[in-house]
Amino acid sequence: MLLLAQQDSIQPQSKKQGVFLGVDIFNPVLSVFTEKKGGEVSISVPFKQKWTIAGEIGYESNTFENAIWNVDASGLYARAGANWFVSQDINNPNMGYYFGGRIGFSPFNQTVNLFTIQGVDMPNVNGNLEKHAAYALWLEPLMGARVPLWKTNFYVDASARLRILLWNNNEYGMSPLIIPGFGINNNGLNFGLNWSIGYVFTF
């Protein structure tokens, strides 16, 4: 009996599922090569086996430019939703593969520096719209994974997301070409990647 008790005492203890706090690493790297600037923090809180409440909050500024448009957009954004771990490590429930979803919202400022109206039998007409308030709401189905860095409480969390624009509004009634936290508006759709490094706090 004493031997069995000693064996039990030296077996590795399973980790508890904890609160994940992360910092975005994808956008800061991307900002070196593009006009996109900003950052994001994320949180994931367990509330039931395999389920976590999750969300992100951040700030972003970006520019959309082509032959017709030159638009600047900047502002805060937030996303909230949940993740379900479809594959979860037995000894470490903080790592695994998950599916989830978010509702995203951004109140942002938009400036149309230049727009061009192309005529058939007349010269092109250029114009601009001064800085104004705009709003957008979208849905994000996602799939992702979280893995630890060596044998620490630090984790890398990555996810791929389809962003679907649900609603937008501004005083000019125009569909936004670029939205903080959403990205370029491709007829109401966009695909995004999220990469973050964070720490899991267990209580």
Side-chain angles (χ1 to χ4, degrees):
M1 294 293 293
L2 179 60
L3 179 60
L4 290 175
Q6 289 176 337
Q7 288 177 341
D8 289 340
S9 65
I10 62 174
Q11 287 181 353
Q13 299 295 313
S14 297
K15 289 187 177 182
K16 294 181 180 179
Q17 192 170 11
V19 176
F20 173 83
L21 290 176
V23 177
D24 169 52
I25 58 175
F26 182 72
N27 282 319
V29 172
L30 195 64
S31 67
V32 177
F33 308 99
T34 69
E35 296 290 334
K36 186 178 182 180
K37 312 294 180 185
E40 176 183 294
V41 294
S42 60
I43 185 171
S44 176
V45 180
F47 75 98
K48 194 175 180 181
Q49 186 178 12
K50 292 193 172 186
W51 284 94
T52 63
I53 299 172
E56 301 91 27
I57 186 168
Y59 176 86
E60 183 181 309
S61 64
N62 207 345
T63 298
F64 178 87
E65 186 174 10
N66 61 15
I68 299 175
W69 295 95
N70 184 298
V71 180
D72 293 329
S74 62
L76 296 170
Y77 64 89
R79 310 186 197 96
N83 297 331
W84 178 67
F85 278 86
V86 63
S87 174
Q88 200 171 34
D89 188 271
I90 296 175
N91 296 317
N92 185 0
N94 297 296
M95 67 177 291
Y97 298 94
Y98 59 84
F99 293 105
R102 303 281 189 277
I103 290 290
F105 177 73
S106 177
F108 62 101
N109 292 315
Q110 180 175 256
T111 305
V112 180
N113 302 306
L114 177 69
F115 67 86
T116 302
I117 300 174
Q118 297 178 331
V120 178
D121 298 321
M122 56 181 287
N124 293 342
V125 178
N126 296 325
N128 62 77
L129 301 175
E130 62 183 15
K131 186 177 181 179
H132 58 278
Y135 307 89
L137 180 75
W138 65 91
L139 175 67
E140 291 188 11
L142 62 90
M143 59 184 299
R146 186 188 299 161
V147 296
L149 290 172
W150 299 283
K151 295 182 180 180
T152 71
N153 274 19
F154 288 95
Y155 288 77
V156 173
D157 192 293
S159 61
R161 308 174 178 215
L162 176 64
R163 293 170 178 155
I164 305 166
L165 187 62
L166 301 177
W167 170 84
N168 68 89
N169 186 39
N170 60 75
E171 62 183 276
Y172 293 103
M174 62 174 287
S175 181
L177 297 172
I178 193 163
I179 304 166
F182 181 92
I184 296 174
N185 178 13
N186 298 303
N187 296 316
L189 296 174
N190 194 16
F191 179 79
L193 295 173
N194 277 56
W195 290 82
S196 62
I197 291 179
Y199 190 87
V200 170
F201 296 87
T202 55
F203 304 96

